[in-house]
Amino acid sequence: MNRRKTVLDLRKMKADNERIVMVTAYDWTMARLVDQAGVDMVLVGDSLGMVVQGHDDTLPVTLDHMVYHTRCVSRGLENAHLVGDMPFMSWQRSTDQAMHAAGRLLQEGRAQSVKLEGGEAAAPTIRALVSAGIPVVGHVGLTPQSVHAMGGFRVQGRTEAQAEQVVRDAVAVEEAGAFCLVLEGLPTDVAAEITHRVSIPTVGIGAGPHCDGQVLVSTDLLGMNLSFKPKFVKRYETLEDTILQAVQRYSTEVREGVFPGKEHSFNRRPRKVAKLY
Ligand code: KIV
């Protein structure tokens, strides 16, 4: 029987000073592996627009894409809490639109909560979703869906005025009822202040060590694209090299007639000999 972590478990982790581990996943295979590795939360992020679909940003990701990948990931999880990301323009038009999008992520995608980017401006939507029984993870600081408004993927909160705004955003998201908050691309002291000010767990990415947890994109932490190495990413493997070498060895063996060997090949089923007696 699955026993996925709930919003209560995650809140308790903050109360008990236990750090939260979150990673992204986009398919069943990766979901199964990160779940077995014991992470607390799995996010089906709209980062899939970049690392799965090959776009330059997350804006082309649709609600249908998110529902599809969330459902795939859901089948691979037994223990981790599953968060589905609300993609660009899936909730801004109206509360109805937001309910519809979040509802699909829970009903069809089988997510346990949804994440949406935005601070004070997103608070009314968060409040509406929470009052409909949908747990929400907020996301403030560098919000990739606003890449054009920010003039690129840039660290936020570097000036005093910006830092104050991000703190206000975080407080507004908590007051609206979010149970958890992603802090992305923030100076260490700003993320630390937010973590101290809010009672919900903060999960940082490029936001320093003082958050209640950390999140990384799975393909980044596994080094599956060695040409991409922003400062905030630590690679725990270089799978790009491992995969290249494996596929090159396979190609060589196919070309040289080494694979498939006898042990990978089938014999004809021996004919049954008719019994005489
Ligand atoms: O889309 C995503 O993967 C995210 C994380 C990087 C927090 O929002």
Side-chain angles (χ1 to χ4, degrees):
M1 163 86 173
N2 289 354
R3 172 57 179 92
R4 291 204 194 150
K5 288 209 160 71
T6 66
V7 296
L8 299 181
D9 296 321
L10 297 162
R11 278 219 178 99
K12 185 167 180 305
M13 286 180 77
K14 172 152 180 154
D16 293 348
N17 254 326
E18 244 188 277
R19 289 223 161 89
I20 295 173
V21 181
M22 187 198 275
V23 290
T24 67
Y26 315 101
D27 62 28
W28 177 84
T29 299
M30 187 67 83
R32 201 177 58 82
L33 293 174
V34 298
D35 194 68
Q36 269 182 40
V39 303
D40 303 303
M41 300 177 84
V42 172
L43 168 68
V44 184
D46 64 352
S47 50
L48 72 84
M50 300 170 80
V51 302
V52 175
Q53 298 174 336
H55 295 295
D56 289 339
D57 56 50
T58 59
L59 304 193
V61 178
T62 67
L63 181 60
D64 283 342
H65 298 155
M66 290 308 309
V67 169
Y68 172 80
H69 286 277
T70 305
R71 198 172 174 86
C72 295
V73 168
S74 152
R75 293 189 202 106
L77 300 187
E78 288 189 2
N79 303 304
H81 179 94
L82 176 57
V83 189
D85 223 351
M86 300 271 272
F88 182 60
M89 281 298 140
S90 67
W91 58 270
Q92 287 89 340
R93 274 203 292 274
S94 65
T95 306
D96 258 12
Q97 190 206 14
M99 292 285 184
H100 171 77
R104 282 194 66 197
L105 286 168
L106 264 66
Q107 272 191 313
E108 297 173 49
R110 311 297 291 140
Q112 293 161 276
S113 61
V114 300
K115 175 171 85 56
L116 60 89
E117 294 180 9
E120 288 182 321
T125 307
I126 295 173
R127 190 165 287 116
L129 293 176
V130 171
S131 59
I134 299 175
V136 176
V137 177
H139 182 158
V140 301
L142 193 173
T143 45
Q145 290 173 16
S146 307
V147 58
H148 298 308
M150 294 182 302
F153 297 108
R154 315 171 87 90
V155 173
Q156 302 295 298
R158 279 196 149 136
T159 67
E160 203 49 46
Q162 273 185 359
E164 282 167 12
Q165 181 58 53
V166 186
V167 174
R168 278 200 298 276
D169 284 335
V171 169
V173 166
E174 172 175 37
E175 284 174 0
F179 77 95
C180 181
L181 178 59
V182 168
L183 303 178
E184 180 166 356
L186 289 173
T188 298
D189 63 321
V190 178
E193 184 184 338
I194 293 173
T195 301
H196 179 70
R197 287 273 291 269
V198 300
S199 64
I200 55 176
T202 60
V203 180
I205 175 164
H210 305 303
C211 302
D212 298 306
Q214 296 291 326
V215 52
L216 279 178
V217 168
S218 47
T219 49
D220 291 344
L221 86 89
L222 294 171
M224 295 177 80
N225 177 2
L226 298 182
S227 60
F228 181 68
K229 174 70 175 76
K231 183 176 163 77
F232 62 86
V233 168
K234 179 168 178 181
R235 286 190 195 124
Y236 290 84
E237 259 306 334
T238 50
L239 284 196
E240 178 169 316
D241 288 339
T242 310
I243 293 170
L244 277 176
Q245 283 164 21
V247 178
Q248 279 162 359
R249 280 202 331 268
Y250 162 68
S251 307
T252 304
E253 291 200 355
V254 169
R255 291 185 183 121
E256 293 177 353
V258 173
F259 176 82
K262 248 181 147 177
E263 67 277 31
H264 307 111
S265 307
F266 302 99
N267 294 321
R268 278 174 71 146
R269 196 174 285 164
R271 284 224 186 90
K272 271 196 183 141
V273 180
K275 274 189 180 164
L276 289 180
Y277 301 100

